[in-house]
């Protein structure tokens, strides 16, 4: 057998369909999460500052290097012009550890003589003697001494090549540049860190109202707007200050919420009016209907004297006015339940209600089989006994009127956790699948109820009343139905 389809009816103000939760707003780590605006702003600004800082330090360092080299070269050229090379090799022609040396070498074999080599090793002298003319200072790595800027001038004097070499060490330039580069690196790092923290604090502070705005929007989207009076939350005044961009969004948002709340209030008002109208109309219809019923009943005694068609018409008037009275009573009850639960709540024993309702149903439906399944101990709920009785009566009446003779109807009562559960099962033909999903809605009836007996008052409001009453008690009504297996289940919170 296939699984019976189940349709739950939620109580008004009861459980809410869970909304898709957004990201948690407000906390900084979340705001910095991948892809958020604040994260992008912070990362991009920091990156920009880093690029600018690195480029600036590179340009500055290059400039300083060039100036240093120029100064060194100028000193070398002017000193070389003034100074005669010493014969002591690495003397001190410039006052601070430069070299000025004249090397005499014979032929091209590399054999040489000097006018005194001083501190310069033979290998260094050989290297220097091999140098070509260098008029514009150039960097040469002199053996054992390191990098020097040198100018070289060669002369030939009766077969003896005379090489005059002047040089200044690059050590000072290297030292200055090292200090400069370390400084530049530290400054770059400091500016990147500063930019990161400064931008982060500004961005976070200015986006915080946006997060609060998002939280408000989230709260609004979680509201149940479809019924009743609704109070819509607003963005706080300090977040709706039009002097900032975010504040303008907040202000626009509040205006929108004003609009929404206004519209909802108007809707609520017209709903209340409509409900009041239905209640008033039903109430006003009661008296004339009672008169019609009374008069048509009066004609019963003398009906035999009337012609056949008039007799039929009068009996139709009687039965239809009966049906209409039931309809009006049902409408009035629904209108009252709509405008607020207004129940007469007392501690109620459900066993008693069920026993009474089933014995009444037994009298009304002698061709059905009525069964009862009750627990030994009483099942008590805080409920309006009169309305709950009506719920059970409506369900039993359906089991009687929408099923053929011989149908078994089992009414049972049990406890399930905090619920008192009343279920009414019948093995009748079941509810048509096209009607099933909306069976608790007002005026839902199967197209042609094959088993409805003539004289039975079908309004299509019975189950709507069941749902409204059960909902007003904070309970749930549901149905599962396939041919041969129909169960209505009503859950009411147990009394504690
Ligand atoms: N036990 C049942 N078996 C078959 N059909 C049912 C049963 N209970 C309700 N229905 C269907 O649901 C419809 C709505 O029921 P209800 O709201 O009580 O209206 P009414 O009984 O006045 O027609 C009924 O018209 C009937 O078609
Ligand atoms: Mg009914």
């Amino acid at each position: 057998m296939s699984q019976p389809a189940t349709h739950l009816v939620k109580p008004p103000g009861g459980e809410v369909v869970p909304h898709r939760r957004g990201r948690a707003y407000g906390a900084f780590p979340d705001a910095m999460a991948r892809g958020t605006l604040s994260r992008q702003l912070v990362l991009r600004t920091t990156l920009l500052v880093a690029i600018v800082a690195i480029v600036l330090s590179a340009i500055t360092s290059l400039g300083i290097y060039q100036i240093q080299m120029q100064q060194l070269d100028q000193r070398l050229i002017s000193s070389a012009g003034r100074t005669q090379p010493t014969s002591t090799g690495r003397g001190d022609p410039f006052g601070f550890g430069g070299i000025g040396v004249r090397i005499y070498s014979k032929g091209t074999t590399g054999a040489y003589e000097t006018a005194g080599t001083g501190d310069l090793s033979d290998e260094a002298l050989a290297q220097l003697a091999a140098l070509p003319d260098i008029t514009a200072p150039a960097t040469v790595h002199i053996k054992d001494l390191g990098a020097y800027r040198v100018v070289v001038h060669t002369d030939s004097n009766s077969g003896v090549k005379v090489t005059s070499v002047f040089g200044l060490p690059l050590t000072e330039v290297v030292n200055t540049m090292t200090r400069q580069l370390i400084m530049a690196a530290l400054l770059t790092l400091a500016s990147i860190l500063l930019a990161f923290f400064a931008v982060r604090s500004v961005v976070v502070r200015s986006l915080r109202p946006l997060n609060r705005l998002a939280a408000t929007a989230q709260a609004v989207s979680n509201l149940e707007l479809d019924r009743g009076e609704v109070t819509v939350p607003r963005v706080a005044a300090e977040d709706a200050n039009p002097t900032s961009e975010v504040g303008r969004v907040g202000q626009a948002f509040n205006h929108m919420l004003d609009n929404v709340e206004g519209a909802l209030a108007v809707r609520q008002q017209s709903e209340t009016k409509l409900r009041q109208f239905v209640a008033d109309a039903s109430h006003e219809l009661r008296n004339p209907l009672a008169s019609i019923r009374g008069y048509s009943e009066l004609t019963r005694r003398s009906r035999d004297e009337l012609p056949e068609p008039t007799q039929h018409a009068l009996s139709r008037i009687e039965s239809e006015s009966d049906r209409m009275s039931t309809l009006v009573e049902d409408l009035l009850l629904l209108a009252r339940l709509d405008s607020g639960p207004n129940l007469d709540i007392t501690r109620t024993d459900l066993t008693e209600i069920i026993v009474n309702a089933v014995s009444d149903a037994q009298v009304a439906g002698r061709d059905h089989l009525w069964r009862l399944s009750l627990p030994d101990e009483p099942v008590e709920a805080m409920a309006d006994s009169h309305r709950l009785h009506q719920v059970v009566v409506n369900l039993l009446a359906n089991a009687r009127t929408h099923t053929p003779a011989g149908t078994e109807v089992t009414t049972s009562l049990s406890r399930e956790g905090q619920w008192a559960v009343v279920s009414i099962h019948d093995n009748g033909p079941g509810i048509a699948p096209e009607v099933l999903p909306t069976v608790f809605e007002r005026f839902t009836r199967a197209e042609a109820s094959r088993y409805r007996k003539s004289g039975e008052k079908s309004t299509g409001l019975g189950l709507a009343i069941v749902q409204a009453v059960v909902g007003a008690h904070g309970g749930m009504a549901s149905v599962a139905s396939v041919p041969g297996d129909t169960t209505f289940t009503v859950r009411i919170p147990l009394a504690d």
Side-chain angles (χ1 to χ4, degrees):
M1 198 175 73
S2 66
Q3 199 58 26
T6 303
H7 294 276
L8 280 180
V9 176
K10 272 186 250 80
E15 47 161 341
V16 181
V17 183
H19 285 252
R20 209 157 54 83
R21 296 262 156 218
R23 178 190 294 295
Y25 293 94
F28 177 67
D30 260 326
M32 279 297 284
R34 177 196 295 268
T36 62
L37 178 62
S38 41
R39 186 185 144 104
Q40 299 224 352
L41 276 175
V42 171
L43 289 188
R44 279 162 197 236
T45 318
T46 310
L47 192 69
L48 192 72
V49 169
I51 291 171
V52 170
I54 289 169
V55 168
L56 274 183
S57 346
I59 291 174
T60 317
S61 303
L62 196 68
I64 291 177
Y65 172 73
Q66 279 172 347
I67 291 171
Q68 294 265 316
M69 289 300 267
Q70 266 170 18
Q71 284 178 348
L72 190 71
D73 290 351
Q74 261 166 19
R75 242 178 45 227
L76 179 64
I77 289 166
S78 66
S79 306
R82 278 189 270 108
T83 320
Q84 278 298 308
T86 61
S87 55
T88 50
R90 195 173 172 204
D92 199 359
F94 310 111
F96 68 90
I99 53 171
V101 65
R102 185 173 289 152
I103 309 159
Y104 304 93
S105 42
K106 278 192 197 120
T108 51
T109 54
Y112 57 84
E113 281 173 20
T114 65
T117 55
D119 297 340
L120 286 171
S121 64
D122 286 354
E123 282 161 45
L125 285 173
Q127 187 196 355
L128 292 178
L131 287 174
D133 261 15
I134 301 175
T135 30
T139 304
V140 172
H141 285 268
I142 301 176
K143 218 148 172 64
D144 305 331
L145 291 181
Y148 271 66
R149 288 297 269 184
V150 293
V151 282
V152 180
H153 173 71
T154 48
D155 247 342
S156 232
N157 197 348
S158 51
V160 177
K161 185 178 151 206
V162 183
T163 314
S164 306
V165 181
F166 289 91
L168 279 173
L170 275 170
T171 7
E172 194 163 331
V173 176
V174 170
N175 285 345
T176 313
M177 283 321 292
T178 311
R179 274 201 307 277
Q180 156 66 21
L181 285 177
I182 289 173
M183 197 67 135
L186 286 178
L187 278 177
T188 304
L189 198 68
S191 55
I192 290 172
L193 286 177
L194 194 74
F196 176 77
F197 286 109
V199 172
R200 192 175 76 160
S201 99
V202 169
V203 165
V204 166
R205 199 162 344 111
S206 45
L207 288 188
R208 208 170 280 146
L210 210 54
N211 288 336
R212 288 197 289 261
L213 202 99
T216 310
Q218 188 81 22
V220 173
S221 72
N222 282 339
L223 285 178
E224 244 189 310
L225 301 178
D226 58 336
R227 51 164 59 231
E229 244 170 278
V230 184
T231 320
V232 180
R234 298 292 148 84
V235 175
E238 81 251 28
D239 293 339
N241 184 351
T243 46
S244 76
E245 288 85 345
V246 175
R248 277 205 288 282
V249 176
Q251 200 187 33
F253 193 66
N254 275 353
H255 284 328
M256 188 187 77
L257 291 180
D258 286 346
N259 254 342
V260 168
E261 202 177 64
L264 288 175
V266 170
R267 188 216 60 191
Q268 166 70 4
Q269 240 172 18
S270 70
E271 253 175 34
T272 313
K273 263 193 207 149
L274 188 67
R275 226 178 272 136
Q276 191 59 44
F277 171 74
V278 174
D280 291 349
S282 322
H283 190 76
E284 292 301 321
L285 284 172
R286 270 169 142 186
N287 291 339
L289 267 175
S291 305
I292 295 174
R293 259 171 45 214
Y295 281 116
S296 57
E297 270 167 32
L298 259 184
T299 62
R300 252 192 224 163
R301 267 173 257 153
S302 48
R303 246 182 238 178
D304 295 345
E305 301 151 24
L306 295 170
E308 180 73 19
T310 319
Q311 274 187 33
H312 177 71
L314 281 173
S315 82
R316 288 296 297 148
I317 290 175
E318 195 181 340
S319 70
E320 284 300 292
S321 58
D322 256 7
R323 200 172 90 84
M324 196 163 169
S325 296
T326 319
L327 186 63
V328 162
E329 289 303 326
D330 284 355
L331 276 177
L332 187 58
L333 174 57
L334 272 174
R336 284 193 182 140
L337 285 169
D338 274 349
S339 58
N342 80 64
L343 298 171
D344 182 12
I345 299 274
T346 50
R347 206 180 179 86
T348 309
D349 184 4
L350 298 184
T351 322
E352 200 183 313
I353 291 180
I354 287 174
V355 169
N356 288 339
V358 171
S359 53
D360 289 354
Q362 209 156 16
V363 174
R366 296 221 169 267
D367 44 8
H368 282 61
L369 262 99
W370 302 93
R371 296 190 196 288
L372 250 179
S373 152
L374 295 171
D376 295 333
E377 69 279 12
V379 176
E380 289 188 324
M382 295 307 289
D384 184 326
S385 58
H386 186 67
R387 297 267 174 264
L388 270 195
H389 179 79
Q390 191 157 7
V391 164
V392 182
V393 165
N394 283 3
L395 292 174
L396 289 173
N398 281 349
R400 178 168 55 83
T401 52
H402 303 298
T403 57
T407 302
E408 253 180 56
V409 183
T410 311
T411 308
S412 45
L413 175 63
S414 61
R415 289 160 174 272
E416 238 174 59
Q418 86 230 43
W419 302 102
V421 182
V422 181
S423 73
I424 292 164
H425 172 266
D426 69 68
N427 59 358
I431 302 171
E434 66 273 12
V435 176
L436 191 58
T438 55
V439 81
F440 285 99
E441 281 171 22
R442 288 159 202 204
F443 299 114
T444 297
R445 288 184 285 174
E447 265 311 305
S449 191
R450 287 155 289 172
Y451 308 99
R452 196 183 295 141
K453 288 133 201 106
S454 59
E456 287 297 349
K457 296 163 277 182
S458 173
T459 59
L461 291 176
L463 290 177
I465 289 175
V466 167
Q467 189 213 318
V469 171
V470 172
H473 280 86
M476 281 176 282
S478 61
V479 62
S481 178
V482 288
D485 182 9
T486 298
T487 312
F488 282 91
T489 310
V490 164
R491 282 160 211 273
I492 302 282
L494 281 169
D496 32 33

